[in-house]
Amino acid sequence: MSRAYNFSPGPAALPEEVLRQAQAELLEWNGERASVMEVSHRGKAFMALAEESEADLRDLVGIPADYAVLFLQGGATQHFAQIPMNLAAPDRSADYIVSGAWGEKAVREAAPYVGVRVAATSEASGFTDLPPRADWQLDPGAAYVHVTSNETIHGVQFHADPDVGDVPLVADMSSDILSKPLDITRYGLVYAGAQKNIAAAGLVVMIVRRDLLARRPVGLAKILDYAEHAAQGSLLNTPNTFGWYLAGLVFKWLKVQGGLAAMGERNHAKATLLYDAIDGSGGFYTNRVAPAARSWMNVPFTLPRAELDAAFLAESKDAGLLALKGHKAVGGMRASLYNAMPVEGVRVLVDFMRDFARRHG
Ligand SMILES: *Cc1c(COP(=O)(O)O)cnc(C)c1O
């Protein structure tokens, strides 16, 4: 086996135990004498999987009955547009808090379907911080307030649930869902592409307060209508059955790990290891994000000279550390430390970084 420590921002590493289980039952799943990919999504076995995975997620997060759980497709990006279609209308407005590239994209995709107000942005800082709460220009009449709980590219994360009063809070949690405890009652709707912290690409998990589903306009195509998906248990059409299956395995894995509180502690410890190594490198490595807003999931950092980037990437790969290249919008490196990254992987990365700095400093 030569599986490396994979710091990919997404699609990202999955827990090895989950991959091994999927491998073991790939040809024959659940006594069906066929793979989970080869059975009807309306058959008894898959319906049971659907129910059990939802129950496990409800258990993990603590989701009350007045919230629906949906297993959808289209990536988070499709829901940038679909959320305003369902929760707002072109003659209403919604407030967007922009703290990075994904928030900007959410604004662009929503604009045809709702009057988008950028109520706060940290663009002036180069997205190295969250917009200070005192500066948010919230409209109490907004259909909802949209935030990106973790900006995957800029490495900026909310560490407390934003307080937006009575307006429903909508959060794109694609890159930090299930990484720490989640008080879902603070949110109207939470959604996440699965390929970072839940499963393989092609699945979106959404948790939405049921009363918000009633807002959908008359005439919305069924396939775009969250209320329809909720009414049909996310089986309105053929779902991403394999992605859903993997998500179910990951939920069970998270329970075995001790649940979201344990994951939060572990993720905090991993991030602290790496930030301490960056801050303690005597200026060799730099992370520009304001300490209180630093992401536990995605850690961008630069080297003292861009000419060193190629050597860092080649040598880290040889050392069994994959996918550390930063996003082009930020440059340098980025280490993504989602749930499936063990503490040991971060220790190996930090040791490599110290050694690299010593040799090239
Ligand atoms: C990756 C990511 C997306 C995009 O997800 P797709 O599934 O590719 O549409 C959106 N938001 C955030 C925060 C992300 O990290």
Side-chain angles (χ1 to χ4, degrees):
M1 270 293 268
S2 64
R3 265 180 75 79
Y5 290 117
N6 181 4
F7 295 89
S8 172
L14 283 161
E16 191 170 317
E17 295 91 328
V18 165
L19 292 174
R20 284 190 188 284
Q21 185 174 345
Q23 179 184 45
E25 55 195 27
L26 188 67
L27 274 74
E28 292 191 47
W29 167 72
N30 192 48
E32 299 299 305
R33 306 182 70 186
S35 146
V36 67
M37 284 177 279
E38 302 166 304
V39 299
S40 169
H41 59 295
R42 307 204 185 276
K44 239 194 196 139
F46 193 84
M47 302 272 276
L49 178 157
E51 251 173 54
E52 197 170 323
S53 57
E54 179 176 333
D56 283 337
L57 180 62
R58 285 186 179 275
D59 212 28
L60 266 176
V61 175
I63 304 173
D66 59 328
Y67 284 75
V69 173
L70 307 181
F71 292 84
L72 304 170
Q73 302 185 61
T77 306
Q78 180 174 310
H79 298 276
F80 290 163
Q82 206 171 327
I83 286 165
M85 286 182 197
N86 278 268
L87 264 54
D91 64 348
R92 288 201 69 183
S93 71
D95 286 348
Y96 279 70
I97 310 302
V98 179
S99 51
W102 288 111
E104 287 188 311
K105 204 163 173 192
V107 162
R108 279 199 300 275
E109 294 299 313
Y113 306 103
V114 65
V116 168
R117 287 180 70 247
V118 175
T121 173
S122 50
E123 189 184 5
S125 74
F127 297 124
T128 56
D129 205 347
L130 293 165
R133 178 63 186 82
D135 296 348
W136 296 13
Q137 304 285 324
L138 294 177
D139 171 7
Y144 58 85
V145 180
H146 184 281
V147 297
T148 310
S149 58
N150 181 66
E151 282 286 355
T152 321
I153 293 172
H154 289 89
V156 173
Q157 185 177 24
F158 281 91
H159 290 294
D161 302 312
D163 184 359
V164 297
D166 292 335
V167 177
L169 182 59
V170 171
D172 173 4
M173 293 197 176
S174 292
S175 53
D176 68 349
I177 193 165
L178 307 184
S179 68
K180 54 184 165 64
L182 166 59
D183 180 0
I184 192 68
T185 64
R186 303 288 302 270
Y187 296 85
L189 184 156
V190 158
Y191 65 111
Q195 68 271 25
K196 282 138 192 171
N197 231 352
I198 301 180
L203 178 75
V204 168
V205 174
M206 181 175 285
I207 308 168
V208 54
R209 225 173 60 209
R210 291 187 197 276
D211 63 294
L212 297 174
L213 297 175
R215 289 187 179 185
R216 70 195 198 288
V218 179
L220 184 61
K222 272 190 182 174
I223 194 64
L224 298 176
D225 184 337
Y226 296 145
E228 281 292 336
H229 283 280
Q232 305 215 24
S234 304
L235 296 168
L236 178 58
N237 68 326
T238 316
N240 174 354
T241 51
F242 190 68
W244 195 336
Y245 155 80
L246 282 176
L249 295 187
V250 168
F251 299 155
K252 291 205 184 296
W253 179 81
L254 286 169
K255 287 181 147 184
V256 171
Q257 303 305 304
L260 301 191
M263 291 319 294
E265 281 169 26
R266 192 191 294 181
N267 286 322
H268 188 200
K270 281 152 53 185
T272 302
L273 261 179
L274 182 48
Y275 285 116
D276 283 353
I278 291 168
D279 295 341
S281 68
F284 190 87
Y285 300 108
T286 308
N287 169 280
R288 294 174 56 226
V289 177
R294 283 175 162 184
S295 169
W296 297 357
M297 294 282 101
N298 309 97
V299 182
F301 59 92
T302 50
L303 310 189
R305 301 178 299 282
E307 308 91 81
L308 289 174
D309 286 2
F312 185 95
L313 288 169
E315 291 181 26
S316 57
K317 192 170 175 200
D318 285 345
L321 305 164
L322 294 191
L324 286 163
K325 190 172 169 43
H327 191 279
K328 60 184 184 307
V330 176
M333 306 298 145
R334 169 175 49 170
S336 297
L337 313 177
Y338 303 122
N339 283 343
M341 173 59 60
V343 180
E344 185 53 26
V346 185
R347 283 206 194 96
V348 174
L349 170 63
V350 161
D351 287 345
F352 168 81
M353 288 169 65
R354 292 209 174 100
D355 182 57
F356 186 89
R358 201 170 35 71
R359 288 184 288 108
H360 295 274

